[in-house]
Amino acid sequence: MASFGTWLRAERDGIYCPPGDFWIDPGQPQTRALITHGHADHARGGHGMVVATPETLAIMATRYGPQPGAKAVNYGDPFRVGDVRACFYPAGHVLGSAQILLEYAGERIVVSGDYKRSPDPTCPPFVPVPCDVFITEATFALPVFHHPPVEKEIGKLLDARASAPERCVLVGAYALGKAQRLIAHLREAGYDRPIYLHGALLQLTRLYEKLGVRLGDVQPMAGLPKAALKGEIILCPPSALADRWSRRLPDPITAMASGWMRLRQRARQKNVELPLILSDHADWGELTATIEELGPAEVWVTHGREEALVHWCQSKGIPARALLLHGREDEGEE
């Protein structure tokens, strides 16, 4: 079906570009890899040459150790891999996240990786890049997914804390991106008390601070007496919400920050008392508005609710297809 992008191939484990002999976000170690961002379903260690933004490489080094073949490229600086010209542009997903513009044979293809359009004080905003083919994610590509304003969700969190001073608020947040964004939004709202972290969130939060993201007074929770945590906000990995670890806390109000909290059933399954709809992925309106804004000749969909987005594109007269990439997790680090 495709009339564009015959020089780019979707494989089960990633996207391969023969004229450049490189992969994008491959699921297995490859000789050459371009990486859109640091989440584990896109960035893996062990590649021969790995090209990414400096922030993404720092995240990969933190998670996987030094990457001997790492090549850092800033946003907006074009570079060549084989016969292909490439350039990174902000994706607005997490710190260091990038869309990749590929130019070859007179065609322009943008691989978005994961992206969002809502404000995030921890990373540069998404930049629309005109292209012939837009390769997009579809994590929340159903009309039911509409993310509310961030201020509303932060207000719910602060109200819950204020209404129960004898308790604490325990928020489940993913270690890369979500935890740091939540802290930054709390600071924007004027919350200046210490924010306490589960040990699993400390390393990447310290890296964000080292890379220039200001998060205020952030402290490890370990070692503090139960009484000292009354009235405080504590962040932990989602997996720790129901863990024995949480029993040491003063009657926690359990919260979860995720786009999946739009679905009440998901909140009930996880025994979440305070669902906070805060996502680092574009919602249905943002996905469709972005495609309309870019006006590509074709749309390719990597993962998520592919069928719905492909159907929407075709209803607008835009050729579209699902790439059916393997190993892209919906909730692992949403």
Side-chain angles (χ1 to χ4, degrees):
M1 180 191 75
S3 56
F4 289 88
T6 54
W7 45 277
L8 208 58
R9 197 165 72 217
E11 299 282 350
R12 187 169 181 267
D13 288 332
I15 297 171
Y16 178 62
C17 179
D21 190 21
F22 63 82
W23 291 76
I24 297 174
D25 294 348
Q28 301 293 329
Q30 301 292 344
T31 303
R32 292 175 173 174
L34 276 58
I35 305 298
T36 60
H37 65 281
H39 280 148
D41 57 338
H42 292 258
R44 292 175 170 85
H47 303 299
M49 182 183 84
V50 56
V51 187
T53 64
E55 295 84 0
T56 292
L57 290 176
I59 290 166
M60 292 178 69
T62 299
R63 293 188 139 181
Y64 307 124
Q67 304 296 301
K71 178 181 177 182
V73 178
N74 292 312
Y75 294 128
D77 290 346
F79 59 98
R80 297 196 73 86
V81 186
D83 295 329
V84 178
R85 187 177 187 268
C87 192
F88 292 142
Y89 291 90
H93 179 55
V94 297
L95 184 63
S97 60
Q99 308 169 79
I100 306 175
L101 169 64
L102 303 172
E103 295 179 277
Y104 178 75
E107 297 179 2
R108 292 164 59 90
I109 297 180
V110 168
V111 183
S112 74
D114 292 337
Y115 74 97
K116 69 174 178 292
R117 305 298 299 268
S118 55
D120 183 340
T122 68
C123 64
F126 178 93
V127 172
V129 181
C131 54
D132 299 304
V133 179
F134 184 54
I135 302 180
T136 179
E137 60 143 324
T139 301
F140 289 113
L142 287 174
V144 67
F145 289 113
H146 168 71
H147 304 328
V150 172
E151 295 79 6
K152 179 182 177 183
E153 302 307 288
I154 296 299
K156 286 164 54 179
L157 172 55
L158 294 175
D159 288 347
R161 170 189 172 272
S163 67
E166 295 301 310
R167 306 175 67 183
C168 68
V169 184
L170 178 63
V171 187
Y174 301 105
L176 172 56
K178 188 63 60 59
Q180 298 79 25
R181 182 186 177 200
L182 187 58
I183 295 169
H185 282 309
L186 283 165
R187 300 309 186 202
E188 283 185 332
Y191 186 74
D192 59 2
R193 292 191 56 77
I195 295 174
Y196 296 93
L197 299 186
H198 183 284
L201 304 184
L202 279 171
Q203 191 175 31
L204 286 171
T205 299
R206 295 305 185 209
L207 178 64
Y208 263 60
E209 292 176 313
K210 183 179 177 182
L211 294 174
V213 179
R214 301 179 66 177
L215 299 174
D217 188 357
V218 178
Q219 301 182 19
M221 194 213 75
L224 290 176
K226 194 172 188 176
L229 294 169
K230 288 183 179 179
E232 303 294 355
I233 295 174
I234 303 163
L235 272 55
C236 70
S239 60
L241 281 175
D243 192 80
R244 291 174 59 89
W245 166 88
S246 65
R247 296 179 187 176
R248 71 183 68 176
L249 303 176
D251 191 17
I253 300 169
T254 57
M256 173 81 181
S258 168
W260 296 109
M261 291 298 99
R262 168 62 70 187
L263 304 178
R264 293 181 180 177
Q265 184 180 7
R266 293 286 181 105
R268 286 196 295 268
Q269 287 173 344
K270 295 180 180 298
N271 294 317
V272 170
E273 190 175 347
L274 177 65
L276 302 172
I277 306 169
L278 186 69
S279 177
D280 289 327
H281 293 265
D283 66 9
W284 174 254
E286 292 171 337
L287 288 165
T288 54
T290 298
I291 292 170
E292 288 181 324
E293 179 181 3
L294 295 177
E298 291 185 18
V299 171
W300 301 355
V301 185
T302 55
H303 65 285
R305 318 281 85 73
E306 300 102 319
E307 290 184 5
L309 194 57
V310 167
H311 176 75
W312 180 89
C313 289
Q314 293 173 341
S315 74
K316 301 294 182 182
I318 305 170
R321 63 187 175 108
L323 300 184
L324 304 175
L325 298 186
H326 176 72
R328 300 291 192 268
E329 300 294 336
D330 281 343
E331 296 186 74
E333 289 186 303
E334 187 275 326

